Coordinates of all heavy atoms in Angstrom, one line a residue:
E271 N 3.2 3.1 18.3 CA 1.8 3.6 18.3 C 1.1 3.3 17.0 O 1.7 3.6 15.9 CB 1.9 5.1 18.6 CG 0.5 5.7 18.8 CD 0.6 7.2 19.0 OE1 1.7 7.7 19.1 OE2 -0.5 7.8 19.1
R272 N -0.1 2.8 17.0 CA -0.8 2.5 15.8 C -1.2 3.8 15.1 O -1.7 4.8 15.7 CB -2.1 1.8 16.2 CG -3.0 1.5 15.0 CD -4.3 0.8 15.4 NE -5.3 1.8 15.8 CZ -6.1 2.5 15.1 NH1 -6.0 2.4 13.8 NH2 -6.9 3.3 15.6
P273 N -0.9 3.9 13.8 CA -1.3 5.0 13.0 C -2.8 5.2 13.0 O -3.6 4.2 12.8 CB -0.8 4.7 11.6 CG 0.2 3.6 11.7 CD -0.2 2.9 12.9
K274 N -3.3 6.4 13.4 CA -4.7 6.6 13.5 C -5.3 6.8 12.1 O -6.5 6.4 11.9 CB -5.0 7.8 14.4 CG -6.5 8.0 14.7 CD -6.6 9.1 15.7 CE -8.1 9.4 16.1 NZ -8.3 10.5 17.0
H275 N -4.6 7.6 11.3 CA -5.2 7.9 10.0 C -4.1 7.7 8.9 O -3.0 8.2 9.0 CB -5.6 9.4 9.9 CG -6.7 9.7 10.8 ND1 -8.0 9.2 10.6 CD2 -6.8 10.6 11.9 CE1 -8.8 9.7 11.5 NE2 -8.1 10.5 12.3
L276 N -4.4 6.9 7.9 CA -3.6 6.8 6.7 C -4.2 7.4 5.5 O -3.7 7.4 4.4 CB -3.2 5.3 6.5 CG -2.4 4.7 7.6 CD1 -2.2 3.2 7.3 CD2 -1.1 5.4 7.8
D277 N -5.5 7.9 5.6 CA -6.1 8.7 4.6 C -5.4 10.0 4.5 O -5.4 10.7 5.5 CB -7.6 8.9 4.9 CG -8.4 9.6 3.9 OD1 -7.8 10.4 3.1 OD2 -9.6 9.4 3.8
Q280 N -6.7 13.3 6.2 CA -6.8 13.4 7.7 C -5.5 13.2 8.4 O -5.3 13.7 9.5 CB -7.8 12.4 8.2 CG -9.2 12.5 7.7 CD -10.2 11.6 8.3 OE1 -10.9 12.0 9.2 NE2 -10.2 10.3 7.9
S281 N -4.5 12.6 7.7 CA -3.3 12.2 8.4 C -2.4 13.4 8.6 O -2.1 14.2 7.7 CB -2.5 11.2 7.5 OG -1.3 10.8 8.1
Y282 N -1.9 13.5 9.9 CA -1.1 14.7 10.2 C -0.1 14.4 11.3 O 0.3 15.3 12.1 CB -2.0 15.9 10.5 CG -1.3 17.3 10.3 CD1 -0.2 17.5 9.5 CD2 -1.9 18.4 10.9 CE1 0.3 18.7 9.3 CE2 -1.4 19.7 10.7 CZ -0.3 19.8 9.9 OH 0.3 21.1 9.7
S283 N 0.3 13.1 11.5 CA 1.1 12.8 12.7 C 2.4 12.2 12.2 O 2.5 11.6 11.1 CB 0.4 11.7 13.6 OG -0.8 12.3 14.1
N285 N 4.1 9.6 13.2 CA 4.1 8.2 13.1 C 3.4 7.7 11.9 O 3.5 6.6 11.4 CB 3.6 7.5 14.4 CG 2.1 7.8 14.6 OD1 1.6 8.9 14.5 ND2 1.3 6.7 14.8
E286 N 2.5 8.5 11.3 CA 1.7 8.2 10.1 C 2.5 8.5 8.9 O 2.4 7.7 7.9 CB 0.4 9.0 10.1 CG -0.5 8.6 11.3 CD -1.7 9.6 11.5 OE1 -1.7 10.6 10.8 OE2 -2.5 9.3 12.4
F289 N 4.5 5.8 7.0 CA 3.8 5.0 6.0 C 3.3 5.8 4.8 O 3.6 5.4 3.7 CB 2.6 4.3 6.7 CG 3.0 3.4 7.8 CD1 3.0 3.8 9.1 CD2 3.3 2.1 7.5 CE1 3.3 3.0 10.1 CE2 3.7 1.2 8.6 CZ 3.7 1.7 9.9
T511 N -11.0 0.6 4.3 CA -11.1 2.1 4.1 C -9.7 2.6 3.7 O -8.7 2.0 3.9 CB -11.6 2.8 5.4 OG1 -10.5 2.6 6.4 CG2 -12.8 2.2 6.0
L512 N -9.7 3.9 3.3 CA -8.5 4.6 3.0 C -7.7 4.8 4.2 O -6.4 4.9 4.2 CB -8.7 5.9 2.3 CG -8.6 5.9 0.8 CD1 -9.0 7.3 0.3 CD2 -7.3 5.5 0.3
D513 N -8.3 4.9 5.4 CA -7.6 5.1 6.6 C -6.8 3.8 7.0 O -5.8 3.9 7.8 CB -8.6 5.4 7.8 CG -8.5 6.8 8.2 OD1 -7.6 7.5 7.7 OD2 -9.3 7.2 9.1
W514 N -7.2 2.7 6.4 CA -6.6 1.4 6.8 C -5.7 0.9 5.6 O -4.7 0.3 5.9 CB -7.7 0.4 7.1 CG -7.2 -0.7 8.0 CD1 -6.8 -2.0 7.7 CD2 -7.1 -0.7 9.4 NE1 -6.5 -2.7 8.8 CE2 -6.7 -1.9 9.9 CE3 -7.4 0.3 10.4 CZ2 -6.5 -2.3 11.2 CZ3 -7.2 0.0 11.7 CH2 -6.7 -1.3 12.1
N527 N -2.2 -4.9 7.3 CA -2.4 -3.9 8.3 C -3.0 -4.6 9.5 O -4.3 -4.6 9.6 CB -3.2 -2.7 7.8 CG -3.2 -1.6 8.8 OD1 -2.6 -1.7 9.9 ND2 -3.8 -0.5 8.4
P529 N -2.2 -3.7 13.1 CA -1.3 -2.9 13.9 C -1.0 -3.4 15.3 O -0.1 -2.9 16.0 CB -2.0 -1.5 13.9 CG -3.5 -1.9 13.7 CD -3.4 -3.0 12.7
M533 N 2.6 -4.7 10.3 CA 2.2 -3.9 9.1 C 3.3 -4.2 8.1 O 4.5 -4.1 8.4 CB 2.1 -2.4 9.5 CG 1.0 -2.1 10.5 SD 0.9 -0.4 11.0 CE 0.2 0.3 9.5

Side-chain angles (χ1 to χ4, degrees):
E271 184 180 359
R272 180 183 77 83
K274 186 176 181 181
H275 295 295
L276 296 176
D277 182 336
Q280 301 186 98
S281 178
Y282 204 17
S283 298
N285 67 310
E286 295 163 358
F289 299 93
T511 66
L512 263 177
D513 252 356
W514 206 261
N527 188 357
M533 297 178 72

